[in-house]
């Protein structure tokens, strides 16, 4: 967790050490602020990352959001999206297994963080389209994944 704390400090991100094995960061993205938690899971010898964004899923849109989670996960090679039931928020999660006493490196922490933020940035608009615009999961994903050339 000390490595992650140094990364947060260098990037001037707000962070909170809630324990020896957990740190939470706030990272500004292009679309929203992301809440990232790194947790060391001693019994599994794994570093877990969870990245959530402020987008509460109302009950009436839950089924369509779950469909979008499934469609988005089909496209991911590493990590996955979940709908966290207790808070009704979408989050990206991944675990880095370090069994056998391997130590995590600063570069691995940076790559995990980058992976989580990039995945959330890529799919955030699709989740917004489903929750706020009432789009279907397929329509939202197709719209959000539309590639444009340049910027206006």
């Amino acid at each position: 967790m000390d490595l992650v704390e140094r990364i947060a400090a260098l990037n001037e991100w707000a962070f909170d050490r809630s324990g020896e094995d957990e740190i939470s960061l706030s990272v500004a993205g292009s679309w929203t602020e992301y809440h990232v938690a790194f947790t060391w899971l001693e019994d599994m010898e794994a570093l877990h990352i969870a990245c959530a964004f402020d987008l509460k899923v109302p009950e009436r849109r839950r089924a369509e959001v779950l469909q979008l989670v499934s469609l988005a996960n089909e496209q991911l090679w590493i990590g996955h999206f979940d709908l966290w039931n207790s808070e009704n928020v979408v989050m990206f999660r991944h675990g880095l297994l370090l069994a056998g006493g391997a130590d995590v490196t600063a570069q691995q922490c940076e790559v995990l963080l980058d992976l989580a933020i990039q995945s959330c940035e890529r799919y955030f608009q699709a989740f917004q389209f489903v929750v706020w615009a009432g789009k279907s999961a397929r329509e939202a994903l197709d719209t959000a994944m539309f590639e444009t050339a340049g910027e206006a």
Side-chain angles (χ1 to χ4, degrees):
M1 294 303 111
D2 293 339
L3 293 172
V4 177
E5 186 173 325
R6 276 183 252 154
I7 292 167
L10 287 171
N11 286 286
E12 298 180 357
W13 294 326
F15 66 91
D16 178 44
R17 289 285 293 261
S18 52
E20 185 178 312
D21 294 339
E22 187 169 343
I23 186 169
S24 299
L25 318 171
S26 292
V27 180
S30 299
W31 304 112
T32 189
E33 183 147 318
Y34 299 104
H35 309 287
V36 183
F38 281 88
T39 307
W40 173 249
L41 305 168
E42 183 66 39
D43 57 332
M44 288 189 265
E45 294 182 87
L47 181 62
H48 178 262
I49 186 170
C51 182
F53 38 83
D54 287 328
L55 184 68
K56 293 278 188 184
V57 178
E59 188 60 37
R60 62 183 168 68
R61 300 303 297 156
R62 185 176 178 76
E64 205 61 39
V65 166
L66 287 170
Q67 179 65 31
L68 179 55
V69 164
S70 178
L71 291 171
N73 284 341
E74 287 177 2
Q75 297 182 20
L76 297 174
W77 285 86
I78 299 173
H80 66 279
F81 284 99
D82 279 329
L83 179 58
W84 192 23
N85 288 325
S86 65
E87 299 292 327
N88 286 328
V89 295
V90 175
M91 68 172 50
F92 175 86
R93 298 176 8 149
H94 183 62
L96 177 62
L97 296 174
L98 298 160
D103 289 326
V104 68
T105 67
Q107 184 178 12
Q108 287 171 314
C109 291
E110 289 171 357
V111 169
L112 276 176
L113 182 58
D114 190 50
L115 169 70
I117 298 299
Q118 282 186 21
S119 296
C120 288
E121 286 278 284
R122 182 169 183 191
Y123 293 98
F124 177 76
Q125 284 188 305
F127 285 107
Q128 264 196 328
F129 290 157
V130 168
V131 171
W132 298 118
K135 303 280 186 192
S136 72
R138 173 52 64 194
E139 186 180 17
L141 187 66
D142 290 346
T143 302
M145 296 295 100
F146 182 75
E147 295 289 330
T148 58
E151 290 184 26

